[in-house]
Amino acid sequence: MTERLQFVYLLPAAGQNPDHVLQGTGVKQEARRPDDDSTIAPEDAARFLSCYCSGHCPEDATNNTCQTNGQCFAIIEEDEHGEAILTSGCMKYEGSHFQCKDSPKAQTRRTIECCNTDFCNRDLQPTLPPQAPSEGSPHWLAFLISMMVCCCTLICITVVCYYKYKWQAERQRYHKDLEQEVFIPAGESLKDLIHQSQSSGSGSGLPLLVQRTIAKQIQMVRQIGKGRYGEVWLGRWRGEKVAVKVFFTREEASWFRETEIYQTVLMRHENILGFIAADIKGTGAFTQLFLITDHHENGSLYDYLKLTTLDTQALLRLAFSAACGLCHLHTEIYGTQGKPAIAHRDLKSKNILIKKNGTCCIADLGLAVKFNSDTNEVDVPLSTRVGTRRYMAPEVLDESLNKNHFQAYIMADMYSYGLVIWEMARRCVTGGIVEDYQLPYYDMVPSDPSYEDMLEIVCVKGLRPTVSNRWNSDECLRAMLKLMSECWAHNPASRLTILRVKKTLAKMVESQDIKI
């Protein structure tokens, strides 16, 4: 019976040709005649097997017949065009056992069958092995990547459309609610309404519908101020004067933040600007954002100091009341309806208002930061606004402030408070002498200083506002100078806390027998 071996033959690396084995006759061209006592190597043995040859016929083949001392073979392989070609021939003894075994380093599909009887390879019909799955072609890879990009884009568009739809739906619902009004009895003043809301235990201001009702009933009188955020108007509600802060549309984040802070539980304090209502008017492209607060005819501390000089009692009244307002902001109140600690981040004379009794109240909380002690997280607003460069602490200017540490914001406020005290002290008359009102660093930087200007003066040169020699000859101004110097120290850890400042000023107020 014909003995048959089948395997997959894989061509060697490029540059090597196995045909020198397949086409040989099995006899060396110069085979020596062995002596009687010598051993004949297998490759030197005489030819004894006849095979059919086609495509691999040696030169001495006759009628497609070759002879070998090895084996007959038939081979099928793919050419460069992918077509199967069947050939056969003689395989010499040398290497025949290796040729009839597959190679793991194949690059071309090729199957060989071997046998060892005369002309046995005429009937051999080797078949090609199955086509191995090819690695992804560049075209398929490109298609796959394109599909992934399309899917991601579609998902992003879907998410954006969903949130846009949700935002528009909320806005429409908000404006629909605006049409609703609550009845506010005649004779009820704003003070009465606010007192009632505090007595109810909510502690977070007037109910939303009451706010919207008040906002719809306000009459705008005239513009009384303008800033980066928008405009301030004098308004009237049932004859009572109110201040209406109208935000530019681009400052929606500031409006939202300030409204949120003012409506924080237990936020109301005599030295924090009194909040009344917040409202949105208009739809589509033109939208007005309103914040309605108490109106103070004396205006800001900046305006007040330009027109008014102070005596010692007025100076202490202003400094102490400002410290009380800032202390209320900085202090966390614990309880079921507690208040978080809040840092202002834009404290300056233009953001402090003067009440009729000569005390201060702190305003403009659009940049305020809240601290959640339960989660130990700092709640920073999304607004793109930054504080006023002239009042920025050294760590803010050189960007070394740790934004994840709430105490860092508190200490930055203390630096700004020290500059505000300096502005007040300049306008205090002692011995008939007083300085003109000026902003901090007025003699060191331009009227609208850049970051670089302030960085050079405050951080690189380590300078602070100029102090008059007369301050050292007055007990009150000398104490105020010591206080402000400890507030504007370069190292935040060296600055006084607002509670320490408040206690120090309280002793000075008591010693002067000042009623606040």
Side-chain angles (χ1 to χ4, degrees), residues 29-77:
Q29 294 177 356
E30 297 181 1
R32 61 183 178 85
R33 289 184 179 180
D35 298 329
D36 292 338
D37 58 348
S38 64
T39 301
I40 300 175
E43 60 270 24
D44 294 331
R47 294 175 290 178
F48 65 90
L49 187 63
S50 296
C51 304
Y52 174 75
C53 65
S54 172
H56 288 286
C57 294
E59 293 180 0
D60 59 350
T62 306
N63 296 326
N64 294 101
T65 301
C66 60
Q67 291 184 327
T68 181
N69 63 350
Q71 299 184 62
C72 301
F73 73 89
I75 186 168
I76 188 169
E77 57 188 332

Side-chain angles (χ1 to χ4, degrees), residues 265-266 332-340 372-374:
V265 174
L266 299 179
E332 179 174 5
I333 301 174
Y334 297 94
T336 53
Q337 282 197 329
K339 169 196 157 295
N372 188 335
S373 61
D374 293 334

Side-chain angles (χ1 to χ4, degrees), residues 228-229 245 254 258 326 329-330 343-352 362-369 385-393 396 409 412-414 416-417 420:
R228 291 176 299 172
Y229 55 83
K245 192 173 179 180
S254 294
E258 194 160 2
L326 191 57
L329 274 182
H330 285 187
H344 192 285
R345 290 180 71 215
D346 194 20
L347 191 67
K348 58 181 178 179
S349 54
K350 290 184 179 180
N351 288 340
I352 298 174
I362 295 173
D364 197 348
L365 301 173
L367 287 178
V369 168
R385 274 180 58 196
V386 293
T388 306
R389 291 186 287 271
R390 189 182 293 272
Y391 291 83
M392 283 182 178
V396 179
Y409 295 102
D413 276 356
M414 293 312 301
S416 304
Y417 177 80
V420 171

Side-chain angles (χ1 to χ4, degrees), residues 304-508:
Y304 186 74
L305 292 177
K306 283 200 297 184
L307 301 174
T308 311
T309 57
L310 310 173
D311 58 20
T312 300
Q313 290 193 352
L315 171 62
L316 289 174
R317 188 178 290 111
L318 289 175
F320 179 68
S321 58
C324 289
L326 191 57
C327 188
H328 182 70
L329 274 182
H330 285 187
T331 304
E332 179 174 5
I333 301 174
Y334 297 94
T336 53
Q337 282 197 329
K339 169 196 157 295
I342 299 170
H344 192 285
R345 290 180 71 215
D346 194 20
L347 191 67
K348 58 181 178 179
S349 54
K350 290 184 179 180
N351 288 340
I352 298 174
L353 301 180
I354 306 301
K355 301 166 77 170
K356 282 183 179 179
N357 62 2
T359 59
C360 294
C361 62
I362 295 173
D364 197 348
L365 301 173
L367 287 178
V369 168
K370 293 194 295 185
F371 177 66
N372 188 335
S373 61
D374 293 334
T375 60
N376 203 34
E377 290 180 352
V378 179
D379 180 7
V380 182
L382 297 174
S383 173
T384 54
R385 274 180 58 196
V386 293
T388 306
R389 291 186 287 271
R390 189 182 293 272
Y391 291 83
M392 283 182 178
E395 62 271 22
V396 179
L397 290 169
D398 65 14
E399 299 181 343
S400 63
L401 181 139
N402 185 350
K403 295 181 180 179
N404 297 317
H405 191 201
F406 181 72
Q407 192 64 21
Y409 295 102
I410 292 288
M411 290 296 102
D413 276 356
M414 293 312 301
Y415 171 88
S416 304
Y417 177 80
L419 298 183
V420 171
I421 297 299
W422 177 87
E423 292 177 72
M424 295 177 184
R426 278 180 61 89
R427 299 296 284 157
C428 182
V429 182
T430 57
I433 305 171
V434 66
E435 287 87 38
D436 293 335
Y437 173 76
Q438 294 290 351
L439 288 168
Y441 302 106
Y442 72 98
D443 53 347
M444 304 178 197
V445 297
S447 58
D448 184 21
S450 64
Y451 278 104
E452 291 72 22
D453 293 331
M454 295 308 303
L455 186 68
E456 176 71 18
I457 294 299
V458 176
C459 300
V460 178
K461 294 183 178 178
L463 299 177
R464 293 297 181 267
T466 307
V467 174
S468 173
N469 290 329
R470 72 179 178 93
W471 292 14
N472 290 311
S473 59
D474 181 85
E475 183 182 357
C476 179
L477 287 182
R478 191 163 55 245
M480 296 297 280
L481 175 58
K482 183 176 184 297
L483 203 65
M484 68 182 76
S485 299
E486 291 178 324
C487 287
W488 65 37
H490 185 84
N491 183 2
S494 301
R495 296 173 199 155
L496 297 176
T497 64
I498 195 60
L499 185 59
R500 180 72 265 165
V501 171
K502 180 183 173 183
K503 288 181 177 179
T504 301
L505 289 173
K507 288 182 181 178
M508 295 174 68

Side-chain angles (χ1 to χ4, degrees), residues 88-360:
S88 55
C90 295
M91 183 183 297
K92 65 181 181 179
Y93 180 85
E94 181 184 10
S96 63
H97 296 291
F98 295 102
Q99 288 297 108
C100 290
K101 292 181 181 179
D102 63 348
S103 168
K105 298 182 179 179
Q107 294 187 10
T108 301
R109 292 170 68 209
R110 183 166 176 167
T111 301
I112 187 169
E113 290 183 6
C114 302
C115 56
N116 50 18
T117 59
D118 287 338
F119 300 107
C120 60
N121 61 340
R122 186 189 294 273
D123 300 321
L124 294 178
Q125 294 294 328
T127 57
L128 288 172
Q131 180 74 47
S134 60
E135 296 182 3
S137 67
H139 297 292
W140 173 252
L141 193 61
F143 174 75
L144 199 61
I145 293 172
S146 300
M147 288 300 294
M148 289 177 65
V149 170
C150 289
C151 288
C152 291
T153 305
L154 189 61
I155 290 170
C156 291
I157 291 172
T158 304
V159 171
V160 170
C161 290
Y162 169 75
Y163 280 105
K164 190 173 182 181
Y165 167 78
K166 194 174 179 182
W167 180 76
Q168 287 178 340
E170 285 290 324
R171 195 156 194 163
Q172 286 174 0
R173 189 163 65 87
Y174 186 93
H175 287 293
K176 189 176 181 181
D177 290 344
L178 286 180
E179 298 173 5
Q180 302 177 23
E181 288 189 31
V182 294
F183 175 70
I184 301 176
E188 289 274 6
S189 67
L190 291 171
K191 188 175 181 180
D192 295 334
L193 292 172
I194 290 168
H195 179 72
Q196 289 170 17
S197 72
Q198 287 182 299
S199 302
S200 68
S202 69
S204 57
L206 296 171
L208 196 57
L209 278 178
V210 175
Q211 289 186 38
R212 291 173 180 170
T213 301
I214 292 171
K216 288 187 72 173
Q217 295 174 355
I218 283 178
Q219 296 175 323
M220 305 289 265
V221 179
R222 69 175 187 276
Q223 183 179 323
I224 55 176
K226 190 171 184 178
R228 291 176 299 172
Y229 55 83
E231 302 169 346
V232 178
W233 284 69
L234 172 64
R236 287 186 181 274
W237 182 78
R238 296 185 178 181
E240 292 186 60
K241 290 181 179 179
V242 293
V244 183
K245 192 173 179 180
V246 184
F247 288 77
F248 296 131
T249 307
R250 66 174 183 270
E251 293 293 337
E252 185 172 356
S254 294
W255 170 84
F256 183 85
R257 185 60 168 194
E258 194 160 2
T259 300
E260 179 190 20
I261 295 290
Y262 273 126
Q263 295 189 106
T264 301
V265 174
L266 299 179
M267 183 65 185
R268 189 166 287 276
H269 186 274
E270 61 183 349
N271 300 120
I272 303 291
L273 179 60
F275 169 76
I276 298 171
D279 192 31
I280 297 178
K281 287 187 180 180
T283 56
F286 184 71
T287 303
Q288 288 182 306
L289 309 164
F290 292 145
L291 188 72
I292 301 157
T293 64
D294 292 342
H295 175 254
H296 298 292
E297 293 188 357
N298 288 325
S300 69
L301 177 63
Y302 170 80
D303 299 321
Y304 186 74
L305 292 177
K306 283 200 297 184
L307 301 174
T308 311
T309 57
L310 310 173
D311 58 20
T312 300
Q313 290 193 352
L315 171 62
L316 289 174
R317 188 178 290 111
L318 289 175
F320 179 68
S321 58
C324 289
L326 191 57
C327 188
H328 182 70
L329 274 182
H330 285 187
T331 304
E332 179 174 5
I333 301 174
Y334 297 94
T336 53
Q337 282 197 329
K339 169 196 157 295
I342 299 170
H344 192 285
R345 290 180 71 215
D346 194 20
L347 191 67
K348 58 181 178 179
S349 54
K350 290 184 179 180
N351 288 340
I352 298 174
L353 301 180
I354 306 301
K355 301 166 77 170
K356 282 183 179 179
N357 62 2
T359 59
C360 294

